[in-house]
């Protein structure tokens, strides 16, 4: 679709691999290619009552914005659909983007996701740079475990055995970091039937270690066994939580914090 300098609009036949919007009056052009290097598209099926909806998705795509002869922003998408896209999601997905200028762009973002036989991994980061200031944020989630019947939504289950979570935020004048580690997880099953149980987390066991730091100083820590010693179905009465409130150290349990 082209907008000429005189306001005329020209539209080409229906695109098959991408589309371009070219505003010649402002010098801005947006180009989208959803079959990068001939990559195939895939179908996502969604069932509702007696109807099935099918949405075509790209496995490799890019969107690029030009201002005059300069590229000022770009987003890239890559997906490995796997055999269970409509039920369990893709095997892998990557999104990256930047804006400002092609070389050393001031704004960047990325997101990467994988689901393999050994677990789920999700990682992302964003950054913004000016001449005098820098702001960044990042997170990393890695959950080890086994997957069963991934392509069957009624019987699908995921059984985690450990998890590693970290996050960092850096903005002018502030720095914060958080970590969470779960080890030796047992009796945790994520499935439709397990989560519908009356007390799905009653027999959970494992070890938890977590911390939150601000400006290099620990503001909160949590550690201990997840197994419950009482009738409350929420695990965590053995997990000690310590944090600062009003300049004083507060000691409690995870169960007390999350219980209604």
């Amino acid at each position: 679709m082209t907008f000429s300098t005189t306001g005329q609009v020209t539209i080409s036949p229906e695109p098959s691999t991408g589309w371009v919007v070219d505003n010649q009056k402002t010098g801005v052009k947006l180009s989208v290619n959803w079959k990068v290097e001939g990559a195939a598209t895939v179908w996502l099926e969604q069932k509702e009552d007696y109807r099935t909806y099918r949405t075509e998705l790209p496995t490799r795509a890019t969107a690029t914005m030009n201002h005059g002869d300069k590229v000022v922003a770009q987003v890239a998408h890559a997906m490995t659909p796997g055999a269970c896209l409509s039920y369990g999601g893709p095997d892998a997905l990557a999104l990256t983007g930047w804006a400002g200028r092609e070389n050393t762009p001031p704004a960047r973002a990325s997101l990467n996701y994988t689901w393999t036989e050994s677990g789920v991994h999700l990682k992302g980061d964003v950054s913004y740079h000016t001449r005098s200031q820098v702001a960044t944020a990042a997170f990393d989630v890695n959950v080890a475990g086994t997957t069963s019947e991934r392509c069957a939504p009624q019987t699908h289950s995921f059984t985690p055995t450990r998890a590693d979570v970290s996050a960092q935020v850096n903005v002018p004048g502030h720095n914060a970091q958080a970590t969470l580690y779960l080890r030796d997880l047992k009796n945790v099953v994520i499935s439709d039937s397990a989560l519908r149980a009356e007390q799905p987390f009653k027999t959970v066991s494992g070890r938890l270690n977590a911390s939150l730091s601000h400006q290099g100083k620990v503001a909160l820590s949590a550690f201990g066994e997840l197994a419950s010693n009482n009738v409350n179905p929420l695990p965590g009465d053995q997990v000690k939580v310590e944090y600062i409130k009003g300049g004083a150290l507060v000691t409690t349990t995870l169960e007390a914090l999350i219980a209604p």
Side-chain angles (χ1 to χ4, degrees), residues 27-47:
V28 175
K29 179 189 289 186
L30 177 64
S31 306
V32 178
N33 181 353
W34 57 75
K35 290 187 178 180
V36 175
E37 297 180 356
T41 58
V42 292
W43 291 96
L44 175 68
E45 290 191 352
Q46 295 172 291
K47 294 184 178 181

Side-chain angles (χ1 to χ4, degrees), residues 20-203:
V20 176
V21 178
D22 185 5
N23 191 326
Q24 297 179 347
K25 190 172 184 178
T26 61
V28 175
K29 179 189 289 186
L30 177 64
S31 306
V32 178
N33 181 353
W34 57 75
K35 290 187 178 180
V36 175
E37 297 180 356
T41 58
V42 292
W43 291 96
L44 175 68
E45 290 191 352
Q46 295 172 291
K47 294 184 178 181
E48 182 180 309
D49 297 327
Y50 299 102
R51 296 174 294 180
T52 299
Y53 299 92
R54 302 180 76 220
T55 304
E56 190 176 13
L57 299 177
T59 56
R60 288 194 63 194
T62 59
T64 304
M65 180 176 288
N66 290 67
H67 188 210
D69 59 353
K70 294 182 179 179
V71 180
V72 294
Q74 188 173 65
V75 176
H77 155 92
M79 177 176 65
T80 304
C84 312
L85 178 63
S86 297
Y87 303 109
D91 285 358
L93 178 67
L95 295 170
T96 58
W98 60 266
R101 55 181 178 272
E102 196 165 5
N103 294 323
T104 61
R108 284 181 176 271
S110 71
L111 178 67
N112 288 275
Y113 162 86
T114 58
W115 188 344
T116 65
E117 293 298 323
S118 59
V120 179
H121 189 198
L122 180 64
K123 184 177 183 179
D125 64 82
V126 295
S127 64
Y128 182 72
H129 298 248
T130 68
R131 291 184 178 180
S132 59
Q133 303 284 357
V134 176
T136 63
F139 69 90
D140 194 334
V141 180
N142 196 3
V143 183
T146 56
T147 302
S148 176
E149 302 290 340
R150 183 173 174 184
C151 294
Q154 299 302 320
T155 55
H156 159 80
S157 68
F158 177 66
T159 305
T161 55
R162 62 176 285 170
D164 299 78
V165 180
S166 64
Q168 305 87 36
V169 176
N170 295 282
V171 297
H174 292 278
N175 173 281
Q177 294 183 326
T179 59
L180 170 65
Y181 303 108
L182 298 173
R183 295 291 184 270
D184 301 324
L185 288 176
K186 293 181 177 63
N187 302 320
V188 183
V189 179
I190 300 173
S191 69
D192 181 67
S193 59
L195 295 178
R196 289 176 182 271
E198 185 177 351
Q199 296 181 356
F201 304 111
K202 183 178 180 179
T203 60

